[in-house]
Amino acid sequence: MTVAIVAGAHGQTASPATAQTTQTTVVAEADAFVDAGRPNRNFGYATRLHVAASTERRSYLRFDVPAVDGTIRRAVLRVRVDAGSSLGFDVRGVGSTTWSEGGVTYRTAPAMAT
């Protein structure tokens, strides 16, 4: 599963599931941000991810989610913010999991779901 974090908008939070039997923590296997102002540059090895609406900066996270028995009723993405904004952000899926942390750029980044 790959998600893109986008500045400038935020959606409604889904209500939590009432029954939870198992909790699993999955750490991102790849992360990078891309910047429209530097469309050919890779930021995959930066120590922090960035999002911004003013220069269209997007962050990408990829997770290798293990197989589970049963139904996944809820997933939570925890993001720590170092510098806040009143604009918030959206989390969106992307159609490709083949991008690489050391290779993705704004020009080569996978398209986000709407």
Side-chain angles (χ1 to χ4, degrees), residues 61-83:
L61 301 167
R62 187 175 61 233
F63 300 90
D64 184 12
V65 179
V68 296
D69 290 330
T71 302
I72 298 174
R73 298 187 187 276
R74 180 179 141 178
V76 176
L77 176 64
R78 297 189 193 278
V79 179
R80 187 183 87 190
V81 178
D82 288 336

Side-chain angles (χ1 to χ4, degrees), residues 8-43:
H10 54 0
Q12 299 295 319
T13 303
S15 61
T18 56
Q20 180 178 342
T21 57
T22 303
Q23 181 174 332
T24 302
T25 300
V26 180
V27 177
E29 68 172 354
D31 59 53
F33 74 90
V34 298
D35 187 335
R38 294 179 263 179
N40 295 312
R41 182 164 177 201
N42 170 262
F43 296 96

Side-chain angles (χ1 to χ4, degrees), residues 5 32-34 43 46-52 57-60:
I5 301 175
F33 74 90
V34 298
F43 296 96
T47 57
R48 296 179 182 206
L49 297 174
H50 297 268
V51 295
R57 229 179 253 162
R58 295 177 282 184
S59 288
Y60 287 82

